[in-house]
Structures are given as structure tokens and as C-alpha cells.
Amino acid sequence: MPDSSTPPQGAPPQGESPKSDPVRLLELSAGGDTDAFARFYDLLAPRVYGLALRILRDEGFAEETVQEVFLQVWKQARDYRPSLGSVQAWILTITHRRAVDRVRSEVSAARRDIADATAGAATGAVGSSDVAEQVTDRLTRDQDAERVRGCLDELTDTQRESIEMAYFTGLTYREVADRLGAALPTVKSRIRDGLRRLKGCLGGVLA
């Protein structure tokens, strides 16, 4: 006969509510319990954000990393095993990896921008402003408008909104950042990535 003083297997330690036990909340989340995942988010998001901010040193990037981390956790909740460490250690490891990857991506993007600008000055290659100008021009032509709009729809909402403000309404990057309530580096990154995706999608239309 089991000792009645011993908590059932999988139960939180005595004195700890299931609502504050990350292991139990993660188990429930793995079963599709969105309320449990919301409590899990509230419990650990401050620590995830703090780590991301220390690495990235940008509030906008840190906020986006938090969303990416918890999306990954929601998708991979079933994969957690105690052998990976505590739930907190597991999610902070994911955070650290994503934040470091973001730093590397931004450094690489900055280097590409410098290289592109240098090459463009020497060869007259099409730049970001030219891409936006050609998109605007093509939107007035019936034969290209549908495809262009389709490519715009493939951008994320934040990328499309930032590009429209910066290039189609004439706002500066700083004005876009102020209107969106986002950090300037975050806005620049969204616009840069969005224009690359847009140019790649349009392909021959801008040729």
C-alpha cells in the first residue's frame, strides 16, 4: 500500500500549486492546453526576455526572440525530458542559442549591406530604394500588379507595414520606428529582410 504522505507520480512538490509548476504546465501544454501554456509563458517569459536582452542589447530584437522561443517550445513541448535539465534550464538554453544566432545573423547582414553598397556604387546595381520604386511602378501596370501584390502578401505583416511606411509613404526609418513603437535597429532589420524577400520573389518582374 503506497504511503499516503508521498505525492502521486508527476505531481508538483508539496506546497507548490500546479499553476506555478513549470514541469506540469509544460506537460499540459504538450497536450494542447493553451491556458496552461499561457501560465507557462507568464512564469518564464521575464527570464527569457532578460537573457535575450543581455545578449542582443536591443529591446525589439529581444521581444521577437521571446516570441520565437515560446513558439518553438509550444511545438516541441513533447520533446522535453528531465535529462535535458530543469525546464528553466532547457528553455534558457533555447533562448541563448536563438539570441546568439540572431547576433550572428545581424553581423552577417551588416557585412552584406556594406559589400552591396560598395558593389552598387561601383557597378550601378539595383539598391533597396530602386526595388521599392520599381514595385510601385509595376503596381500601376495590370500585367504585373497581381504578381507584385502576391509577393507583398508573402512578407510578414511587420515587414510589409515597415516597407510601406518607409518607401510608399516616404517616412524615414526613424519615423517608422516611432510610429510602430519599435527600436530603430529592429525596423531596419525588418525592412532589409523584407526587401530581400520581395526582390527574390519578384525575380524576373524587376529584371
Side-chain angles (χ1 to χ4, degrees):
M1 180 175 179
D3 185 350
S4 60
S5 64
T6 303
Q9 186 175 6
Q14 288 184 348
E16 184 173 0
S17 167
K19 293 184 178 181
S20 61
D21 175 35
V23 176
R24 182 55 181 156
L25 291 175
L26 189 62
E27 290 174 350
L28 293 171
S29 299
D33 188 332
T34 55
D35 289 337
F37 187 71
R39 292 195 296 271
F40 181 83
Y41 179 94
D42 291 340
L43 186 65
L44 293 176
R47 295 181 181 181
V48 171
Y49 175 78
L51 176 58
L53 184 60
R54 285 198 297 275
I55 295 172
L56 294 165
R57 300 182 182 279
D58 179 276
E59 292 181 357
F61 288 160
E63 290 168 359
E64 290 181 355
T65 298
V66 170
Q67 299 304 317
E68 292 169 358
V69 166
F70 279 96
L71 178 60
Q72 180 177 342
V73 169
W74 171 254
K75 292 179 178 178
Q76 299 180 355
R78 292 178 181 274
D79 298 336
Y80 170 73
R81 299 291 183 274
S83 60
L84 298 172
S86 68
V87 169
Q88 178 179 319
W90 178 61
I91 196 170
L92 290 180
T93 297
I94 294 173
T95 304
H96 185 273
R97 186 178 301 121
R98 279 194 169 271
V100 170
D101 286 346
R102 185 61 179 266
V103 170
R104 290 172 177 165
S105 175
E106 289 302 312
V107 169
S108 296
R111 288 173 177 169
R112 286 195 301 270
D113 284 347
I114 293 172
D116 290 346
T118 302
T123 65
V126 174
S128 296
S129 296
D130 294 321
V131 172
E133 288 173 5
Q134 290 187 48
V135 168
T136 304
D137 178 60
R138 296 287 178 166
L139 281 170
T140 66
R141 303 184 187 181
D142 293 340
Q143 69 269 28
D144 293 334
E146 183 176 352
R147 182 177 176 186
V148 171
R149 292 193 185 97
C151 287
L152 286 168
D153 287 342
E154 290 187 10
L155 303 180
T156 66
D157 290 342
T158 54
Q159 285 174 342
R160 184 170 58 254
E161 185 176 24
S162 298
I163 288 173
E164 288 174 348
M165 285 185 178
Y167 291 106
F168 303 155
T169 63
L171 298 179
T172 65
Y173 283 10
R174 170 60 66 185
E175 289 170 335
V176 174
D178 290 343
R179 289 203 180 188
L180 296 179
L184 182 58
T186 302
V187 168
K188 288 182 177 179
S189 177
R190 288 174 182 170
I191 291 174
R192 180 178 58 240
D193 293 344
L195 286 171
R196 286 201 183 99
R197 290 181 61 184
L198 185 59
K199 186 176 179 181
C201 174
L202 289 170
V205 171
L206 294 185

